Amino acid sequence: MQQPYEPTEAGPADERPASSARVLVVEDDPTVAEVVSGYLNRAGHVVDRAGDGPTALARAAAHWPDLVVLDLMLPSMDGLEVCRRMRGHGPVPVIMLTARGDEDDRILGLEVGADDYVTKPFSPRELVLRVESVLRRTRPAAAQHPLGAAGLTVDPAARRATKNGAELALTLREFDLLAFFLRNPGRAFSREDLMREVWGWDFGDLSTVTVHVRRLRGKVEDDPARPRLIQTVWGVGYRFEPAGNEGS
């Protein structure tokens, strides 16, 4: 059985991304950081490394990354605070690394805006696939047209969303989730459906979907405690209802 961080050969050339991205890896374990960086380099990305929060913030200020792979447990400043501070300077996709079983920490990571997380020990190849999945969603096709309903507008090409003309501060996944709902009004989707269609995963922790729906409601609903747009369909999942009839 392959060890979690054992380096192996790079994947085929046709698995490399169409364009290189700058990825900041923030990890205080030198072995993990080296292996993750090696896999990302072989996948065609430019990698910056930092072993603690202050160094990560300085690296990001010098060369703003396209994506951050961020360990939750760091010396002097934890990953949650690093994520908050980075997001204070500008939008950037974040994949958080967490210890297996620390569900509360994973939920906190999603609450502060992490777009994805991977639990340790993990396969570096899986992490690269997660990175490339997030990057694909960060670079939407130019042919995508703006969407709108119930006072909400989403422009996929510009990665801009508004409510009644006021811009919404959405994370990558919140943006994609809202766009998916706007494309599919009135249809009920299970959490498994949303994970597959929005996240691009065939399996994973469904609490990820639950947290993102809750966060999105907090930004698009007039009263998140009594959601009218993103409604719970008991026994199924969620439905976007442009008419705004009261749901639960």
Side-chain angles (χ1 to χ4, degrees):
M1 180 171 152
Q2 185 178 336
Q3 294 301 309
Y5 308 120
E6 180 182 350
T8 61
E9 68 278 2
D14 62 0
E15 292 184 6
R16 293 186 179 188
S19 59
S20 176
R22 180 177 292 276
V23 180
L24 174 59
V25 176
V26 188
E27 168 62 66
D28 64 326
D29 185 318
T31 301
V32 176
E34 182 176 353
V35 172
V36 168
S37 298
Y39 268 74
L40 289 169
N41 273 317
R42 289 195 291 273
H45 301 297
V46 176
V47 180
D48 291 332
R49 286 169 53 175
D52 56 51
T55 303
L57 295 173
R59 292 270 198 277
H63 298 285
W64 192 252
D66 298 303
L67 182 143
V68 181
V69 176
L70 177 61
D71 188 18
L72 182 64
M73 300 300 295
L74 293 169
S76 73
M77 181 189 300
D78 66 23
L80 296 175
E81 183 61 24
V82 174
C83 186
R84 287 190 191 98
R85 294 194 186 190
M86 282 191 179
R87 285 283 166 75
H89 289 283
V92 60
V94 174
I95 296 179
M96 202 160 273
L97 305 180
T98 71
R100 187 177 301 278
D102 292 344
E103 182 176 357
D104 290 345
D105 287 339
R106 294 201 300 273
I107 296 299
L108 275 174
L110 295 172
E111 292 281 6
V112 300
D115 299 288
D116 198 355
Y117 65 84
V118 176
T119 55
K120 296 181 180 181
F122 58 85
S123 159
R125 184 173 176 78
E126 177 193 356
L127 177 59
V128 171
L129 292 174
R130 294 286 185 94
V131 165
E132 293 178 0
S133 173
V134 170
L135 287 171
R136 279 195 299 273
R137 286 169 165 76
T138 309
R139 299 163 173 168
Q144 291 179 308
H145 301 295
L147 307 162
L152 299 169
T153 62
V154 165
D155 185 342
R159 301 297 294 185
R160 184 170 182 265
T162 63
K163 176 184 177 181
N164 298 326
E167 188 150 3
L168 295 171
L170 302 181
T171 67
L172 171 70
R173 295 297 189 190
E174 290 166 2
F175 185 96
D176 290 341
L177 185 59
L178 179 58
F180 181 79
F181 279 137
L182 286 171
R183 289 191 188 100
N184 298 277
R187 292 181 57 189
F189 293 94
S190 68
R191 292 188 300 169
E192 290 88 350
D193 292 334
L194 294 172
M195 179 160 283
R196 182 175 59 254
E197 298 295 334
V198 178
W199 276 255
W201 307 346
D202 289 323
F203 60 89
D205 186 347
L206 296 178
S207 67
T208 300
V209 177
T210 305
V211 171
H212 278 81
V213 168
R214 184 169 71 244
R215 285 180 54 84
L216 185 57
R217 280 172 167 167
K219 296 177 181 181
V220 304
E221 298 281 359
D222 292 332
D223 181 0
R226 299 167 65 90
R228 303 171 70 90
L229 298 174
I230 303 174
Q231 300 184 5
T232 298
V233 182
W234 295 109
V236 180
Y238 304 100
R239 178 181 63 236
F240 179 71
E241 195 58 67
N245 296 320
E246 187 169 323
S248 54

